[in-house]
Amino acid sequence: MVEIRKPIQVSEAINRVLQHSRAMPTITVSLDESYNSILAEPIIAQHDVPPFNRSPYDGFAIRSIDSIGASGNNRKQFNVIDHIGAGQLTSRKLGEKEAVRIMTGAPIPESADAIVMLEQTVEHDGGFTIRKPFAKGENVSRQGEDAQQGEQLIEAGTIVHPGIVALLATFGYAKVDVAKKPFVGILSTGTELIDVDEPLQPGKIRNSNGPMIIAQLKRMGIASKSYGMRMDDLDVCCQIVEKALEECDVLITTGGVSVGDFDYLPAIYDRLKAKVLFNKVAMRPGSVTTVATVRGKLLFGLSGNPSACFSGFELFVRPALLTMMGCKKPFLPYAKAILTEDFPKPNPFMRFVRSIYRFEDGKAYITPAGFNKSNAVTSIARGNAFMVLPGGTRGYKKGTEVDVLLLGVEEGVDKWQLQ
Amino acid sequence: MVEIRKPIQVSEAINRVLQHSRAMPTITVSLDESYNSILAEPIIAQHDVPPFNRSPYDGFAIRSIDSIGASGNNRKQFNVIDHIGAGQLTSRKLGEKEAVRIMTGAPIPESADAIVMLEQTVEHDGGFTIRKPFAKGENVSRQGEDAQQGEQLIEAGTIVHPGIVALLATFGYAKVDVAKKPFVGILSTGTELIDVDEPLQPGKIRNSNGPMIIAQLKRMGIASKSYGMRMDDLDVCCQIVEKALEECDVLITTGGVSVGDFDYLPAIYDRLKAKVLFNKVAMRPGSVTTVATVRGKLLFGLSGNPSACFSGFELFVRPALLTMMGCKKPFLPYAKAILTEDFPKPNPFMRFVRSIYRFEDGKAYITPAGFNKSNAVTSIARGNAFMVLPGGTRGYKKGTEVDVLLLGVEEGVDKWQLQ
């Protein structure tokens, strides 16, 4: 008897996974270590930015009142009484027609209220003249114009990219509270698998899913441990899975989730008393993708087929890991693009076609990345996006606008925008 | 006298930098270490994929000839003579109306030429019946249908992302030839700078550019060394720069490139007999960005202003480093998007506005990420793109379609598409 599984929609599958994505604890790391983490605290302006009225140019700080009436025919004369660079303060107070020579980034003396750029002056020994009046505040980077003390600038749950690092450094966050990264176990199952450094044997293929998932995790800055790739005996397997569940926050298996005679995962789930969230998703490739929880930990049973395994990771594992870290934008960015060739296959289920997304002449185009069966591996290596075709549709014609999910993008989006 | 510098166009500046980006040597790394490197060799199919005719389903391998005439009223009967899982071979040769029970991924016996899915059968003790004929090759994953031995699948110069890792693993690339990553030195200059863990002092700001650049390099998987951030004495500075040039492949300095009284970089370039490729670019922010070479090594003199520094890195340093590694797609991905608000500033030079790019209701939108002066730091932390406004334009109205460069995207493009 073949087990009949009821497929659920992709959106519903994602919902179930995210509902079971348990929050990771907060840890404190140095700013250096924070890159690619998820902020566990908002970034609050610890002081005004700029912290003082600042000169944005090399020039002279003046009292604007002294420039009134200046013109080409009536140049106004200033005497320079001090000279400061960035990081320096003047002790002098400007009197009438006095100026301080000031460099970019230096604090403007309290007694001054405008900056004359070097280029706007004619200099002479001990002073300069100008040919136009300056308004109060002209060429002044005002204290607090970029950010005001106490303002929340970035919310918790944001990924730490280089711009965030700059902001953290500005406010003296030498230590940052971020979500601890989940530690992920990987178990590749399949009696046909041999290791990458083994010579090919009849009937065998090399394990590509394991290294691929390690790289998918590395892309997220997440460390993993491989639990090998044998699966000969149910007892041994259960022991390995038990051990992995003790050591890891999340376990990913590949292969063995179908209804074949050597597909052990369903039996393992039974033994572990796992709660199976779903074992059939209305998607291609990867319809047998199974997700379960054991003692609150997520077990991802990805298909052994490379394309299906890749898709299962990007669609389910990635948003789950990001959600565990409190990320507010766990989903792949969504776009639309014009299909560049006919795609004649019918789509009984929602289909994720590994594709090449590109922008040309002001328009976005999408081209399937070659051979697209679930066991294809070459198409995973090409392309940078999924073309997504809704279930229940027939073929698609060249020129049709279709849905796209972008891969390898640092910052995701906050909503799953497809069915 | 203020030095008058002649600005060059951004595209010309990029050209000059790339012309001076010297190729890094090739190194051999393990597959594990290859992620985020640039391939120094193409990926050639070392064998057919699949390497044998493979069953894509759980089912039975049959001779299609035995299924001729099968129908609901005339079910054809098969006897099962063997049972193989993935990775297993049968020693049996099929005779008339014989079948081998076969699982997904297993090699199809030479004597069979079609696969009947389990769901297409009614099983009984020792055999099964089918109700439809099967064509020769039906449900067979043909040897070589995904890739043929000797075929070049991926060109040298491609970034190693997870899909590439999968392909390398498939073909047994336990070791991979990749470009050695440049080692980058960072020297932050500016007498106003204090370190991230120091309390704020009057007239000072914390060094945010250094940590930001380290993170921008980390995003590319590139290691760096910080050479501190003091700049009091020209002799000392020259010594530090000399040392950095000995130890590093590329040196990035921040600050000190303008024409101010404390801007030492021009003097350092002189002393080092550096060849200055340009010291003024028709862009905002970052017009003072300077690039020079010393003994064949690139010296990037980025502006000390955070936004300008960030832009200078993304526009010049990033493509240079990628080109040094032989990457064929060193440029930021380009797109178009609709401006969501008025941008009234005139643009004497090409303007790069740190912005938020998003897709909604089938359209791409771009929104400036807040305060946009060159010394702004908060806008760097927000957003995921540059809006690019051509030089010589006045303000832009809400609803206008504008150019966009996307940040934080794994795979770039092969052409600089702007002026």
Side-chain angles (χ1 to χ4, degrees), chain B residues 188-225:
Chain B
S188 303
T189 84
T191 43
E192 75 279 28
L193 297 181
I194 54 173
D195 228 328
V196 62
D197 54 3
E198 289 182 75
L200 207 59
Q201 299 157 34
K204 306 279 187 181
I205 58 169
R206 292 195 190 87
N207 175 22
S208 60
N209 289 332
M212 178 178 76
I213 292 172
I214 293 172
Q216 282 173 301
L217 291 165
K218 267 191 197 165
R219 176 146 77 176
M220 304 175 72
I222 289 178
S224 58
K225 175 177 173 179

mmCIF file of all heavy atoms in Angstrom, chain B residues 188-225:
data_model
loop_
_atom_site.group_PDB
_atom_site.id
_atom_site.type_symbol
_atom_site.label_atom_id
_atom_site.label_comp_id
_atom_site.label_asym_id
_atom_site.label_seq_id
_atom_site.Cartn_x
_atom_site.Cartn_y
_atom_site.Cartn_z
ATOM 1 N N SER B 188 42.532 54.637 8.936
ATOM 2 C CA SER B 188 41.559 55.722 9.097
ATOM 3 C C SER B 188 42.284 56.969 9.561
ATOM 4 O O SER B 188 42.924 56.957 10.609
ATOM 5 C CB SER B 188 40.502 55.328 10.129
ATOM 6 O OG SER B 188 39.869 54.127 9.766
ATOM 7 N N THR B 189 42.221 58.015 8.772
ATOM 8 C CA THR B 189 42.907 59.241 9.174
ATOM 9 C C THR B 189 41.889 60.280 9.617
ATOM 10 O O THR B 189 40.720 60.214 9.249
ATOM 11 C CB THR B 189 43.747 59.821 8.027
ATOM 12 O OG1 THR B 189 42.902 60.604 7.186
ATOM 13 C CG2 THR B 189 44.395 58.720 7.222
ATOM 14 N N GLY B 190 42.346 61.218 10.386
ATOM 15 C CA GLY B 190 41.452 62.273 10.871
ATOM 16 C C GLY B 190 41.709 62.529 12.334
ATOM 17 O O GLY B 190 41.538 61.639 13.155
ATOM 18 N N THR B 191 42.122 63.737 12.660
ATOM 19 C CA THR B 191 42.452 64.067 14.047
ATOM 20 C C THR B 191 41.211 64.154 14.921
ATOM 21 O O THR B 191 41.321 64.219 16.135
ATOM 22 C CB THR B 191 43.196 65.422 14.082
ATOM 23 O OG1 THR B 191 42.532 66.318 13.178
ATOM 24 C CG2 THR B 191 44.629 65.269 13.635
ATOM 25 N N GLU B 192 40.015 64.119 14.291
ATOM 26 C CA GLU B 192 38.783 64.190 15.081
ATOM 27 C C GLU B 192 38.311 62.817 15.553
ATOM 28 O O GLU B 192 37.338 62.707 16.281
ATOM 29 C CB GLU B 192 37.660 64.852 14.266
ATOM 30 C CG GLU B 192 37.025 63.989 13.177
ATOM 31 C CD GLU B 192 37.810 63.927 11.867
ATOM 32 O OE1 GLU B 192 39.068 64.086 11.917
ATOM 33 O OE2 GLU B 192 37.200 63.713 10.822
ATOM 34 N N LEU B 193 39.028 61.770 15.124
ATOM 35 C CA LEU B 193 38.507 60.421 15.365
ATOM 36 C C LEU B 193 38.887 59.872 16.743
ATOM 37 O O LEU B 193 40.023 59.991 17.180
ATOM 38 C CB LEU B 193 39.028 59.463 14.296
ATOM 39 C CG LEU B 193 38.589 59.775 12.871
ATOM 40 C CD1 LEU B 193 39.147 58.730 11.912
ATOM 41 C CD2 LEU B 193 37.079 59.856 12.761
ATOM 42 N N ILE B 194 37.912 59.237 17.383
ATOM 43 C CA ILE B 194 38.194 58.449 18.576
ATOM 44 C C ILE B 194 37.662 57.042 18.328
ATOM 45 O O ILE B 194 36.886 56.817 17.391
ATOM 46 C CB ILE B 194 37.569 59.050 19.853
ATOM 47 C CG1 ILE B 194 36.073 59.261 19.663
ATOM 48 C CG2 ILE B 194 38.262 60.355 20.215
ATOM 49 C CD1 ILE B 194 35.365 59.691 20.926
ATOM 50 N N ASP B 195 38.091 56.121 19.162
ATOM 51 C CA ASP B 195 37.739 54.722 18.942
ATOM 52 C C ASP B 195 36.326 54.433 19.461
ATOM 53 O O ASP B 195 35.791 55.176 20.268
ATOM 54 C CB ASP B 195 38.760 53.814 19.644
ATOM 55 C CG ASP B 195 39.241 52.718 18.698
ATOM 56 O OD1 ASP B 195 38.434 52.289 17.841
ATOM 57 O OD2 ASP B 195 40.408 52.315 18.796
ATOM 58 N N VAL B 196 35.780 53.310 18.990
ATOM 59 C CA VAL B 196 34.380 53.000 19.302
ATOM 60 C C VAL B 196 34.144 52.845 20.807
ATOM 61 O O VAL B 196 33.058 53.158 21.302
ATOM 62 C CB VAL B 196 33.918 51.741 18.527
ATOM 63 C CG1 VAL B 196 34.721 50.516 18.922
ATOM 64 C CG2 VAL B 196 32.436 51.481 18.714
ATOM 65 N N ASP B 197 35.159 52.407 21.539
ATOM 66 C CA ASP B 197 34.945 52.201 22.977
ATOM 67 C C ASP B 197 35.345 53.409 23.823
ATOM 68 O O ASP B 197 35.349 53.341 25.048
ATOM 69 C CB ASP B 197 35.677 50.935 23.451
ATOM 70 C CG ASP B 197 37.149 50.954 23.095
ATOM 71 O OD1 ASP B 197 37.616 51.972 22.530
ATOM 72 O OD2 ASP B 197 37.833 49.958 23.370
ATOM 73 N N GLU B 198 35.670 54.537 23.173
ATOM 74 C CA GLU B 198 36.032 55.731 23.940
ATOM 75 C C GLU B 198 34.806 56.619 24.169
ATOM 76 O O GLU B 198 33.932 56.699 23.314
ATOM 77 C CB GLU B 198 37.097 56.539 23.178
ATOM 78 C CG GLU B 198 38.458 55.880 23.150
ATOM 79 C CD GLU B 198 39.480 56.762 22.431
ATOM 80 O OE1 GLU B 198 39.922 57.754 23.021
ATOM 81 O OE2 GLU B 198 39.800 56.449 21.277
ATOM 82 N N PRO B 199 34.782 57.315 25.324
ATOM 83 C CA PRO B 199 33.669 58.249 25.540
ATOM 84 C C PRO B 199 33.800 59.447 24.597
ATOM 85 O O PRO B 199 34.906 59.841 24.229
ATOM 86 C CB PRO B 199 33.837 58.676 27.003
ATOM 87 C CG PRO B 199 35.243 58.359 27.351
ATOM 88 C CD PRO B 199 35.703 57.252 26.462
ATOM 89 N N LEU B 200 32.670 59.973 24.209
ATOM 90 C CA LEU B 200 32.669 61.105 23.285
ATOM 91 C C LEU B 200 33.325 62.315 23.953
ATOM 92 O O LEU B 200 33.163 62.556 25.138
ATOM 93 C CB LEU B 200 31.224 61.436 22.902
ATOM 94 C CG LEU B 200 31.039 62.093 21.535
ATOM 95 C CD1 LEU B 200 31.570 61.210 20.426
ATOM 96 C CD2 LEU B 200 29.569 62.391 21.308
ATOM 97 N N GLN B 201 34.095 63.073 23.173
ATOM 98 C CA GLN B 201 34.743 64.284 23.672
ATOM 99 C C GLN B 201 34.355 65.439 22.766
ATOM 100 O O GLN B 201 34.048 65.229 21.600
ATOM 101 C CB GLN B 201 36.267 64.116 23.629
ATOM 102 C CG GLN B 201 36.805 62.978 24.471
ATOM 103 C CD GLN B 201 38.163 62.510 23.966
ATOM 104 O OE1 GLN B 201 38.957 63.304 23.473
ATOM 105 N NE2 GLN B 201 38.416 61.219 24.072
ATOM 106 N N PRO B 202 34.415 66.654 23.307
ATOM 107 C CA PRO B 202 34.022 67.807 22.483
ATOM 108 C C PRO B 202 34.821 67.867 21.180
ATOM 109 O O PRO B 202 36.048 67.747 21.191
ATOM 110 C CB PRO B 202 34.350 69.006 23.382
ATOM 111 C CG PRO B 202 34.307 68.461 24.775
ATOM 112 C CD PRO B 202 34.775 67.047 24.679
ATOM 113 N N GLY B 203 34.117 68.040 20.082
ATOM 114 C CA GLY B 203 34.758 68.193 18.781
ATOM 115 C C GLY B 203 35.154 66.887 18.121
ATOM 116 O O GLY B 203 35.575 66.863 16.972
ATOM 117 N N LYS B 204 35.004 65.776 18.834
ATOM 118 C CA LYS B 204 35.438 64.481 18.298
ATOM 119 C C LYS B 204 34.230 63.660 17.827
ATOM 120 O O LYS B 204 33.101 63.880 18.271
ATOM 121 C CB LYS B 204 36.177 63.686 19.384
ATOM 122 C CG LYS B 204 37.352 64.436 20.026
ATOM 123 C CD LYS B 204 38.587 64.360 19.153
ATOM 124 C CE LYS B 204 39.800 64.967 19.873
ATOM 125 N NZ LYS B 204 41.005 64.940 19.068
ATOM 126 N N ILE B 205 34.496 62.713 16.978
ATOM 127 C CA ILE B 205 33.480 61.719 16.611
ATOM 128 C C ILE B 205 34.164 60.361 16.596
ATOM 129 O O ILE B 205 35.378 60.258 16.443
ATOM 130 C CB ILE B 205 32.848 61.989 15.222
ATOM 131 C CG1 ILE B 205 33.925 62.008 14.131
ATOM 132 C CG2 ILE B 205 32.059 63.284 15.221
ATOM 133 C CD1 ILE B 205 33.373 62.000 12.720
ATOM 134 N N ARG B 206 33.347 59.311 16.753
ATOM 135 C CA ARG B 206 33.928 57.974 16.732
ATOM 136 C C ARG B 206 34.212 57.534 15.297
ATOM 137 O O ARG B 206 33.504 57.906 14.363
ATOM 138 C CB ARG B 206 33.018 56.975 17.435
ATOM 139 C CG ARG B 206 32.930 57.242 18.931
ATOM 140 C CD ARG B 206 32.352 56.065 19.666
ATOM 141 N NE ARG B 206 32.072 56.458 21.058
ATOM 142 C CZ ARG B 206 30.943 57.030 21.449
ATOM 143 N NH1 ARG B 206 29.975 57.269 20.583
ATOM 144 N NH2 ARG B 206 30.785 57.367 22.716
ATOM 145 N N ASN B 207 35.235 56.763 15.147
ATOM 146 C CA ASN B 207 35.606 56.232 13.834
ATOM 147 C C ASN B 207 34.585 55.167 13.414
ATOM 148 O O ASN B 207 34.596 54.051 13.918
ATOM 149 C CB ASN B 207 37.003 55.616 13.915
ATOM 150 C CG ASN B 207 37.411 54.929 12.621
ATOM 151 O OD1 ASN B 207 36.872 55.235 11.553
ATOM 152 N ND2 ASN B 207 38.346 54.007 12.726
ATOM 153 N N SER B 208 33.713 55.516 12.485
ATOM 154 C CA SER B 208 32.731 54.532 12.005
ATOM 155 C C SER B 208 33.156 53.939 10.670
ATOM 156 O O SER B 208 32.736 52.847 10.304
ATOM 157 C CB SER B 208 31.348 55.188 11.867
ATOM 158 O OG SER B 208 31.390 56.263 10.954
ATOM 159 N N ASN B 209 34.016 54.653 9.944
ATOM 160 C CA ASN B 209 34.410 54.168 8.614
ATOM 161 C C ASN B 209 35.239 52.890 8.685
ATOM 162 O O ASN B 209 35.070 51.988 7.862
ATOM 163 C CB ASN B 209 35.203 55.239 7.872
ATOM 164 C CG ASN B 209 34.317 56.397 7.445
ATOM 165 O OD1 ASN B 209 33.130 56.213 7.232
ATOM 166 N ND2 ASN B 209 34.890 57.584 7.345
ATOM 167 N N GLY B 210 36.140 52.833 9.667
ATOM 168 C CA GLY B 210 36.987 51.647 9.785
ATOM 169 C C GLY B 210 36.167 50.374 9.965
ATOM 170 O O GLY B 210 36.245 49.445 9.145
ATOM 171 N N PRO B 211 35.340 50.318 11.024
ATOM 172 C CA PRO B 211 34.506 49.122 11.210
ATOM 173 C C PRO B 211 33.571 48.851 10.026
ATOM 174 O O PRO B 211 33.336 47.696 9.667
ATOM 175 C CB PRO B 211 33.694 49.458 12.471
ATOM 176 C CG PRO B 211 34.514 50.474 13.210
ATOM 177 C CD PRO B 211 35.243 51.260 12.160
ATOM 178 N N MET B 212 33.074 49.919 9.404
ATOM 179 C CA MET B 212 32.174 49.731 8.254
ATOM 180 C C MET B 212 32.903 49.052 7.099
ATOM 181 O O MET B 212 32.384 48.108 6.487
ATOM 182 C CB MET B 212 31.635 51.085 7.806
ATOM 183 C CG MET B 212 30.729 51.023 6.592
ATOM 184 S SD MET B 212 30.106 52.666 6.169
ATOM 185 C CE MET B 212 31.559 53.384 5.382
ATOM 186 N N ILE B 213 34.109 49.503 6.811
ATOM 187 C CA ILE B 213 34.861 48.909 5.692
ATOM 188 C C ILE B 213 35.229 47.459 6.003
ATOM 189 O O ILE B 213 35.162 46.591 5.130
ATOM 190 C CB ILE B 213 36.123 49.750 5.387
ATOM 191 C CG1 ILE B 213 35.697 51.106 4.816
ATOM 192 C CG2 ILE B 213 37.042 49.026 4.394
ATOM 193 C CD1 ILE B 213 36.845 52.080 4.653
ATOM 194 N N ILE B 214 35.588 47.202 7.260
ATOM 195 C CA ILE B 214 35.870 45.807 7.636
ATOM 196 C C ILE B 214 34.658 44.934 7.314
ATOM 197 O O ILE B 214 34.786 43.836 6.769
ATOM 198 C CB ILE B 214 36.229 45.711 9.136
ATOM 199 C CG1 ILE B 214 37.571 46.419 9.401
ATOM 200 C CG2 ILE B 214 36.288 44.255 9.597
ATOM 201 C CD1 ILE B 214 37.924 46.551 10.876
ATOM 202 N N ALA B 215 33.464 45.463 7.623
ATOM 203 C CA ALA B 215 32.233 44.694 7.350
ATOM 204 C C ALA B 215 31.969 44.594 5.848
ATOM 205 O O ALA B 215 31.523 43.548 5.358
ATOM 206 C CB ALA B 215 31.043 45.330 8.066
ATOM 207 N N GLN B 216 32.247 45.660 5.109
ATOM 208 C CA GLN B 216 32.056 45.594 3.648
ATOM 209 C C GLN B 216 32.979 44.535 3.041
ATOM 210 O O GLN B 216 32.619 43.837 2.099
ATOM 211 C CB GLN B 216 32.316 46.973 3.014
ATOM 212 C CG GLN B 216 31.144 47.937 3.203
ATOM 213 C CD GLN B 216 31.465 49.357 2.735
ATOM 214 O OE1 GLN B 216 32.391 49.978 3.234
ATOM 215 N NE2 GLN B 216 30.688 49.861 1.790
ATOM 216 N N LEU B 217 34.175 44.424 3.601
ATOM 217 C CA LEU B 217 35.113 43.388 3.128
ATOM 218 C C LEU B 217 34.660 42.000 3.565
ATOM 219 O O LEU B 217 34.720 41.045 2.784
ATOM 220 C CB LEU B 217 36.520 43.687 3.648
ATOM 221 C CG LEU B 217 37.201 44.924 3.037
ATOM 222 C CD1 LEU B 217 38.415 45.335 3.858
ATOM 223 C CD2 LEU B 217 37.594 44.666 1.582
ATOM 224 N N LYS B 218 34.185 41.896 4.808
ATOM 225 C CA LYS B 218 33.691 40.594 5.299
ATOM 226 C C LYS B 218 32.576 40.078 4.414
ATOM 227 O O LYS B 218 32.466 38.890 4.147
ATOM 228 C CB LYS B 218 33.138 40.745 6.718
ATOM 229 C CG LYS B 218 34.159 40.452 7.798
ATOM 230 C CD LYS B 218 33.465 40.358 9.156
ATOM 231 C CE LYS B 218 34.486 40.480 10.267
ATOM 232 N NZ LYS B 218 33.861 40.756 11.568
ATOM 233 N N ARG B 219 31.718 40.991 3.986
ATOM 234 C CA ARG B 219 30.622 40.617 3.090
ATOM 235 C C ARG B 219 31.167 39.938 1.841
ATOM 236 O O ARG B 219 30.511 39.097 1.242
ATOM 237 C CB ARG B 219 29.841 41.889 2.748
ATOM 238 C CG ARG B 219 28.739 41.711 1.774
ATOM 239 C CD ARG B 219 27.578 42.628 2.078
ATOM 240 N NE ARG B 219 27.843 44.008 1.662
ATOM 241 C CZ ARG B 219 26.952 44.982 1.757
ATOM 242 N NH1 ARG B 219 25.758 44.752 2.250
ATOM 243 N NH2 ARG B 219 27.248 46.192 1.367
ATOM 244 N N MET B 220 32.387 40.304 1.421
ATOM 245 C CA MET B 220 33.017 39.687 0.257
ATOM 246 C C MET B 220 33.925 38.530 0.665
ATOM 247 O O MET B 220 34.626 37.967 -0.167
ATOM 248 C CB MET B 220 33.851 40.732 -0.487
ATOM 249 C CG MET B 220 33.061 41.954 -0.912
ATOM 250 S SD MET B 220 34.144 43.221 -1.648
ATOM 251 C CE MET B 220 34.518 42.419 -3.217
ATOM 252 N N GLY B 221 33.918 38.202 1.951
ATOM 253 C CA GLY B 221 34.774 37.118 2.428
ATOM 254 C C GLY B 221 36.245 37.506 2.435
ATOM 255 O O GLY B 221 37.118 36.641 2.352
ATOM 256 N N ILE B 222 36.537 38.795 2.514
ATOM 257 C CA ILE B 222 37.912 39.286 2.416
ATOM 258 C C ILE B 222 38.411 39.749 3.776
ATOM 259 O O ILE B 222 37.729 40.490 4.484
ATOM 260 C CB ILE B 222 38.000 40.415 1.364
ATOM 261 C CG1 ILE B 222 37.820 39.809 -0.032
ATOM 262 C CG2 ILE B 222 39.317 41.190 1.466
ATOM 263 C CD1 ILE B 222 37.847 40.795 -1.155
ATOM 264 N N ALA B 223 39.618 39.293 4.133
ATOM 265 C CA ALA B 223 40.215 39.643 5.424
ATOM 266 C C ALA B 223 40.957 40.963 5.319
ATOM 267 O O ALA B 223 41.440 41.339 4.246
ATOM 268 C CB ALA B 223 41.163 38.535 5.865
ATOM 269 N N SER B 224 41.061 41.645 6.429
ATOM 270 C CA SER B 224 41.704 42.954 6.428
ATOM 271 C C SER B 224 42.501 43.157 7.704
ATOM 272 O O SER B 224 42.365 42.413 8.664
ATOM 273 C CB SER B 224 40.638 44.045 6.306
ATOM 274 O OG SER B 224 39.719 43.949 7.374
ATOM 275 N N LYS B 225 43.332 44.164 7.680
ATOM 276 C CA LYS B 225 44.093 44.536 8.861
ATOM 277 C C LYS B 225 43.965 46.041 9.052
ATOM 278 O O LYS B 225 44.096 46.806 8.088
ATOM 279 C CB LYS B 225 45.567 44.164 8.664
ATOM 280 C CG LYS B 225 46.458 44.624 9.810
ATOM 281 C CD LYS B 225 47.904 44.180 9.639
ATOM 282 C CE LYS B 225 48.773 44.823 10.722
ATOM 283 N NZ LYS B 225 50.188 44.411 10.606
#
